[in-house]
């Protein structure tokens, strides 16, 4: 078999793992290359075989599937690698978008690399990059944060640690947590921080709203943005200046105190030494 050439339809390479991006909503976004490759490989490792089954049925693809998800990935990787060693070609897909981006598959890809098996991408849709491209925020530097922790304290601590992040940030949010995610982001970054909320991208009711975090919260509350579907939140980075030498000294003091005291007591001692508000120092300690 020959290798996949630039611009050519896929010619399957034996014993190769293909990481294939699939539509995030609109089925027309499946590339002709991905479509033909899915029809030609020996096996499709799918996050949810029922979900991928509907995609395959739509395109008349009859390739066998094998379930690979977060609960069984550790156990099924070795048998899949053995099939690759035996010359089988396998396509890895997630429910939607590019695999491994907040989806399972990392262990499988890593195991294939360690076994000396070729791993090739078949690029395509990605909700994070689709949202970034329409957000109207800087794209020269950005970071992907995925889903924030479900527990309120852990979520707020994570956002606090990102308070001074200068890069554009990309978050995923479920319909069940979009309200508290926006509220916590506004508290951590300020209601005036520019952002973009993308809902149901490429689907029938897709919506993109670029505004401040405070305005996005208001739009969600009054129904201009329905709390339905899947969300990608893109938040502008901090434009705060670099830390001064005084701030760096305070950070070192906080770190030293925190190594011996609980966070609350460490912040209280630092406040007594520096004269700075305890709550401000406590937040900085959490960020550290």
């Amino acid at each position: 078999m020959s290798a996949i050439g630039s611009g050519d339809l896929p010619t399957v390479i034996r014993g190769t793992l293909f990481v294939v991006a699939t539509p995030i909503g609109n089925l027309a976004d499946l590339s002709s290359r991905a479509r033909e490759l899915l029809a030609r490989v020996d096996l499709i490792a799918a996050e949810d075989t029922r979900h991928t089954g509907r995609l395959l049925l739509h395109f008349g693809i009859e390739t066998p599937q094998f379930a690979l998800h977060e609960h069984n990935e550790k156990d099924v990787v070795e048998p899949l690698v053995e099939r690759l060693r035996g010359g089988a070609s396998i396509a890895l897909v997630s429910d939607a978008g590019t695999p491994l981006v907040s989806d399972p598959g990392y262990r499988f890809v890593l195991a294939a690399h360690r076994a000396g098996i070729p791993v090739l991408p078949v690029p395509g849709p990605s909700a994070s990059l689709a949202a970034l491209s329409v957000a109207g925020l800087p794209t020269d530097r950005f970071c992907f944060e995925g889903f924030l922790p479900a527990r309120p304290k852990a979520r707020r601590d994570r956002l606090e640690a990102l308070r001074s992040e200068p890069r554009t940030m990309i978050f995923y949010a479920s319909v069940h947590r979009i309200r508290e995610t926006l509220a916590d982001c506004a508290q951590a970054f300020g209601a005036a921080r520019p952002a973009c909320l993308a809902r149901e991208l490429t689907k029938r009711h897709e919506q993109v709203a670029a505004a401040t975090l405070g305005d996005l919260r208001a739009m969600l509350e009054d129904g201009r943005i329905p709390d339905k579907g899947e969300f990608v939140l893109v938040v502008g980075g901090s434009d705060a200046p670099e830390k001064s030498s005084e701030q760096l000294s305070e950070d070192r003091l906080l770190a030293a105190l925190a190594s011996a005291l609980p966070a609350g007591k460490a912040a209280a001692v630092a406040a007594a030494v520096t004269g700075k508000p305890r709550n401000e120092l406590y937040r900085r300690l959490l960020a550290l």
Side-chain angles (χ1 to χ4, degrees), residues 6 19 25 61 64 71 74 86 89 115 121 123 147 151 155 168 179 212 226 235 254 275:
S6 176
V19 181
I61 297 172
H71 302 296
K74 185 177 179 180
S89 55
F147 289 97
R151 299 179 63 180
R155 182 172 61 248
T168 298
R179 290 178 183 271
T212 64
V235 180
L254 286 168

Side-chain angles (χ1 to χ4, degrees), residues 101 126-133 135 137-146 162 165-172 232-238:
V101 182
S126 168
S128 56
L129 293 182
L132 178 66
S133 71
L137 294 167
T139 59
D140 54 334
R141 297 179 66 222
F142 61 90
C143 59
F144 176 70
E145 289 293 324
L162 293 168
E165 171 59 61
R167 296 171 295 178
T168 298
M169 297 168 282
I170 305 172
F171 302 94
Y172 284 166
V232 182
L233 176 63
V234 186
V235 180
S238 171

Side-chain angles (χ1 to χ4, degrees), residues 175-184 217 220-221 227:
V175 65
H176 307 293
R177 296 198 177 94
I178 184 59
R179 290 178 183 271
E180 47 263 50
T181 295
L182 273 174
D184 290 341
R217 286 189 67 193
L220 196 64
E221 290 298 329
D227 54 351

Side-chain angles (χ1 to χ4, degrees), residues 78-209:
E78 189 55 37
L80 290 174
V81 169
E82 284 303 314
R83 292 199 61 171
L84 288 164
R85 284 197 182 102
S89 55
I90 299 178
L92 172 66
V93 302
S94 62
D95 285 351
T98 301
L100 278 73
V101 182
S102 281
D103 285 323
Y106 161 75
R107 290 185 178 90
F108 187 19
V109 170
L110 178 61
H113 279 302
R114 287 177 172 172
I117 291 166
V119 181
L120 299 178
V122 181
S126 168
S128 56
L129 293 182
L132 178 66
S133 71
V134 297
L137 294 167
T139 59
D140 54 334
R141 297 179 66 222
F142 61 90
C143 59
F144 176 70
E145 289 293 324
F147 289 97
L148 288 164
R151 299 179 63 180
K153 184 181 185 304
R155 182 172 61 248
R156 290 165 189 159
D157 288 349
R158 180 61 188 146
L159 290 171
E160 188 65 35
L162 293 168
R163 177 189 288 270
S164 300
E165 171 59 61
R167 296 171 295 178
T168 298
M169 297 168 282
I170 305 172
F171 302 94
Y172 284 166
S174 70
V175 65
H176 307 293
R177 296 198 177 94
I178 184 59
R179 290 178 183 271
E180 47 263 50
T181 295
L182 273 174
D184 290 341
C185 283
Q187 180 179 354
F189 306 137
R193 181 76 69 93
C196 176
L197 189 61
R199 184 178 73 88
E200 292 290 86
L201 285 172
T202 79
K203 299 175 184 176
R204 181 178 181 182
H205 300 293
E206 75 178 333
Q207 182 180 13
V208 175

